[in-house]
Amino acid sequence: MSDSRDWLQEISACVGPKGLTMDAEDMAPWLTDWRGRYTGSAQALVSPASTREVAQVVKIANAHAIAIVPQGGNSGMVGGATPDQSGESIILSLRRMNTIRSVSPCDQLAVCDAGVILQNFHEALAEHGQRFPLTLGGKGSATIGGLVSTNAGGTQVLRHGTMRSLVAGIEAVLPDGSILNSLAALKKDNRGYDLKQLLIGGEGTLGIVTAATLKTVPALVDRCVTWVGVKTPQAAYALFQFLNARESQSLEGFEIIPATCLDSVLEHIPGTRAPLAQPSAWNVLIEITRDQHDATDPRITAETLLEKAFEENLAQDAAFASNETQAEAFWKIRDSIAEAERAAGPALQHDISVPISKMADFITESTPIMEAKFPGTEVAAFGHMGDGNVHYHVKAPPGAAGTGWTLEYAAKITPMVHDLVVAAGGSISAEHGIGQNKRAELGRLSDKAQLLALQAIKSAIDPKNIMNPGKLVPLASEQRAS
Amino acid sequence: MSDSRDWLQEISACVGPKGLTMDAEDMAPWLTDWRGRYTGSAQALVSPASTREVAQVVKIANAHAIAIVPQGGNSGMVGGATPDQSGESIILSLRRMNTIRSVSPCDQLAVCDAGVILQNFHEALAEHGQRFPLTLGGKGSATIGGLVSTNAGGTQVLRHGTMRSLVAGIEAVLPDGSILNSLAALKKDNRGYDLKQLLIGGEGTLGIVTAATLKTVPALVDRCVTWVGVKTPQAAYALFQFLNARESQSLEGFEIIPATCLDSVLEHIPGTRAPLAQPSAWNVLIEITRDQHDATDPRITAETLLEKAFEENLAQDAAFASNETQAEAFWKIRDSIAEAERAAGPALQHDISVPISKMADFITESTPIMEAKFPGTEVAAFGHMGDGNVHYHVKAPPGAAGTGWTLEYAAKITPMVHDLVVAAGGSISAEHGIGQNKRAELGRLSDKAQLLALQAIKSAIDPKNIMNPGKLVPLASEQRAS
């Protein structure tokens, strides 16, 4: 380590008093991830106000081999923005860079600083008759830079894709402090390796995203949210195929919810009520939208399609939200599952994907295997069925709360879930990323070719390993150990 | 160099007699690019029959540091599949690997070996009621592997994107001979850097694509092709915005054609006739499609929209193709421009892009600059206006044929076109790639950060520089010289 006063003074001179703190109280909220599973420490919290300042800070850190942990809203799910416990790194917060640089409804493009909060971006676009079709629970704190760096997903991926599909251009500071400016939105550009694709989902390990050009779409005119009862995940998939073949352009959401999750929500979340009169083993939440006034009313589209689906015996029962309040009530059930499950007791959570066509069988085949191997547990798989991505919770046996069950079983249950996912050709991280949380598992389960390529790219772009070290890329030394 | 008999024997043992030739006559067609601008030589033409064989060949080549030039249909535009003149490399042809491994209309996915020819793929999908929405002039020889490796474009990018948007999974052999298997089509997968994005558009410099999982869409029910006369490129762009705001989901083509290109076609291509009674300074070719029987007839959509466009003075005149024969006749005019221009005389061709909203101004502002600087030349910019990508031809003064004009002026005119493109925030290679042809210009015009990153990735993944050396990535030594 260098003498810390030297380089901290250099950084201080660069970012000014607003841009640097070493105060323990100021830093505390940013040293623990929001789920409270990781806590680290840092020499300083540096908050540059511009891309130029980010570049200068990175140059200084590079010269002194100081590790940098880039951070947006600190709402990640895998500890990717939390420093390690060595106390030697700095947190580089992008939150002061919160300007929406431009909104162009004609071009359906907007340019945002990395620190712009998703919800603020949504609100700004609404004033222009546009929307950004990506949303998630943490939208009140998640930043554009973090969403890009984690290739965020959410509930609208079905139609609009993940963040990767919505990024038209990027500006980033590379580990040597140079600025990569690829903000120009070129629909066609074949000048070699597409570097922005590495930064998207790179979790800040190859550089710091400082701004992005994002694709926007017309604001919604209206939507119809429908709650449907089905017998099995297979029936849900059949219904998905039926709808997707007919209305792929207006089908924006297709979420699956087992009875057990609905029951948890009804029990633990005040103000919720069952959408259907008769309980159903599985439920599907469907959102059909329109963004042009002269398109068909989505309520009519939904009713017409569901009528046909009933005729073909693809669905048992359905409730159509008759207004926005009811639509939001249906979505609230879906969005409260994680909270309700937490209230109900301990559970091990997995964010997994398999090919869309295999998800129903994955759920019904893996559930009895897991429940037999770990008696008393219950599997609850819910979420983005239309994307082949569910949140796969293995719930502790009744009475396990407070017994340290999660800690005891994490090392047994999670690898087994992941093994089943890999056997089904799936991914152990569908949308949450790798961070600290899944790095060892990524090392254990990756093909050797894949792993060597990740390591080679990391070393090539960040030879001093100063960019978010200890995140995402499993090190070769860790591989040998496993 | 190793003793060639040793490693050639190893390769021969691996691929068998059908998979190896050193016969000059057999090799000749594959040593020159199809435009006839590059000719190289090679020690052998190796044609593996399987991914396993490709991996073995690469392992052998790696051990002996033999350069490999991967080749598909040899229909690239930038010499990217032509070996250098040292005669030391081998051509690795993927053409024997031509199996369509699976077609799944339910999942809208198909898995193809790298050597499958695009047209054969189109025909196979038609039998399943599906189509692959990417096509280009060379479809009778272009292979899936080549299309992936060059991130090919074509005339349907407007709605469906370039090859990058259509690749759901990839299988590739990396420079060390390991196999990267990412064929599983996962809509969400956040396991670190997305390696397939590097191979897409990587021009075989990081590995050899051996197969791809591709997204398909429903077969067309019908289409309406319309020829519209407009006064200026700005008017064409206004018309594009008007149509795209109303029919983005059915608008599949929007091509711009100046009068000079139409005139060349009418003069040099037998059987063509002017679509409009009155000539127009600029022409637009519009394709509106439907892929569901119960959607609006595209002819009605086109007529309704154009009627409104006339009212708003966005278009001067229009001809609607009344049947498929006429639709094909309209497209034939567009597709024959390059051939007609060649017949008319020498020209320097540039495949460029700028942000879509800037293309009209780029054309009208750059044209007088070029024509003033090079008296007697004429600029003809035509093509994918809706993608911000035109083919920008600078035609020689009359009488230049046979005088060596192209050779004399290439070094003066092309850099100037590229400088103007870069000043407009554009790309010197929109869809054709870099290959041998634009490598020096890429080196001259790239940001340092971009260039260093390209070089670092290339060295990291291919440390011996055996994968298509001399293509795409400008070397550091070349940079110092410029």
Side-chain angles (χ1 to χ4, degrees), chain A residues 282-338:
Chain A
W282 291 84
N283 304 271
V284 169
L285 179 65
I286 296 164
E287 178 161 312
I288 290 175
T289 63
R290 70 168 159 179
D291 52 20
Q292 300 197 354
H293 284 279
D294 54 0
T296 309
D297 182 335
R299 171 79 187 236
I300 292 170
T301 306
E303 287 178 352
T304 311
L305 285 170
L306 263 299
E307 196 172 321
K308 279 189 209 163
F310 287 133
E311 282 167 20
E312 299 192 17
N313 205 22
L314 291 168
Q316 264 37 65
D317 195 3
F320 301 88
S322 55
N323 52 44
E324 258 305 299
T325 310
Q326 207 176 349
E328 283 181 16
F330 286 1
W331 268 113
K332 190 186 174 183
I333 294 172
R334 161 66 187 90
D335 290 336
S336 305
I337 294 174

Side-chain angles (χ1 to χ4, degrees), chain A residues 48-400:
Chain A
S50 68
T51 301
R52 204 179 49 86
E53 285 186 11
V54 174
Q56 288 175 333
V57 169
V58 172
K59 273 206 177 86
I60 297 164
N62 184 311
H64 298 271
I66 305 300
I68 299 169
V69 181
Q71 197 180 75
N74 193 27
S75 54
M77 306 289 270
V78 290
T82 309
D84 66 20
Q85 293 173 0
S86 70
E88 293 183 353
S89 52
I90 56 172
I91 296 178
L92 193 150
S93 165
L94 281 302
R95 287 182 294 275
R96 280 179 74 209
M97 291 176 58
N98 59 5
T99 303
I100 298 173
R101 297 190 194 175
S102 65
V103 175
S104 172
C106 287
D107 302 328
Q108 302 204 300
L109 293 170
V111 182
C112 285
D113 274 357
V116 169
I117 289 171
L118 180 58
Q119 189 166 330
N120 296 347
F121 184 43
H122 284 162
E123 288 165 10
L125 285 177
E127 291 171 23
H128 292 86
Q130 293 283 298
R131 67 184 171 122
F132 184 63
L134 184 142
T135 191
L136 34 70
K139 67 182 173 183
S141 51
T143 60
I144 295 301
L147 295 163
V148 171
S149 298
T150 58
N151 185 25
T155 49
Q156 293 172 309
V157 172
L158 181 60
R159 178 171 169 202
H160 300 284
T162 63
M163 202 68 185
R164 191 180 299 282
S165 320
L166 299 170
V167 173
I170 243 175
E171 178 192 83
V173 173
L174 299 184
D176 64 358
S178 61
I179 297 171
L180 181 76
N181 185 342
S182 300
L183 283 176
L186 299 175
K187 184 150 185 178
K188 287 173 157 178
D189 181 12
N190 274 346
R191 285 176 294 177
Y193 318 142
D194 190 349
L195 299 176
K196 72 173 173 296
Q197 303 295 345
L198 287 178
L199 291 157
I200 297 169
E203 301 186 3
T205 62
L206 298 177
I208 299 169
V209 173
T210 50
T213 305
L214 301 169
K215 299 175 192 172
T216 67
V217 298
L220 279 191
V221 173
D222 50 10
R223 61 175 181 173
C224 179
V225 177
T226 309
W227 191 282
V228 182
V230 297
K231 286 180 180 164
T232 60
Q234 285 73 14
Y237 179 63
L239 179 61
F240 168 71
Q241 284 192 297
F242 175 86
L243 297 175
N244 200 46
R246 286 158 184 80
E247 279 296 326
S248 63
Q249 293 313 325
S250 62
L251 183 64
E252 287 218 7
F254 191 97
E255 301 279 312
I256 188 171
I257 299 148
T260 171
C261 289
L262 175 58
D263 293 346
S264 277
V265 170
L266 299 177
E267 187 180 341
H268 296 285
I269 307 295
T272 52
R273 45 178 294 198
L276 300 176
Q278 295 297 320
S280 179
W282 291 84
N283 304 271
V284 169
L285 179 65
I286 296 164
E287 178 161 312
I288 290 175
T289 63
R290 70 168 159 179
D291 52 20
Q292 300 197 354
H293 284 279
D294 54 0
T296 309
D297 182 335
R299 171 79 187 236
I300 292 170
T301 306
E303 287 178 352
T304 311
L305 285 170
L306 263 299
E307 196 172 321
K308 279 189 209 163
F310 287 133
E311 282 167 20
E312 299 192 17
N313 205 22
L314 291 168
Q316 264 37 65
D317 195 3
F320 301 88
S322 55
N323 52 44
E324 258 305 299
T325 310
Q326 207 176 349
E328 283 181 16
F330 286 1
W331 268 113
K332 190 186 174 183
I333 294 172
R334 161 66 187 90
D335 290 336
S336 305
I337 294 174
E339 185 187 341
E341 293 286 338
R342 275 195 296 275
L348 288 160
Q349 300 163 14
H350 309 89
D351 160 47
I352 57 155
S353 66
V354 297
I356 302 171
S357 60
K358 289 187 178 176
M359 184 48 91
D361 291 347
F362 179 81
I363 293 172
T364 51
E365 287 166 15
S366 66
T367 297
I369 295 174
M370 294 303 302
E371 292 176 352
K373 180 86 180 173
F374 301 99
T377 62
E378 189 189 1
V379 169
F382 66 92
H384 321 300
M385 180 84 176
D387 305 325
N389 166 212
V390 294
H391 301 297
Y392 190 98
H393 289 196
V394 182
K395 301 196 278 187

Side-chain angles (χ1 to χ4, degrees), chain A residues 158 187 189-190 353 427 429, chain B residues 158 187-190 427 429:
Chain A
L158 181 60
K187 184 150 185 178
D189 181 12
N190 274 346
S353 66
S427 169
S429 181
Chain B
L158 181 60
K187 185 151 184 177
K188 285 173 158 180
D189 182 12
N190 274 347
S427 170
S429 179

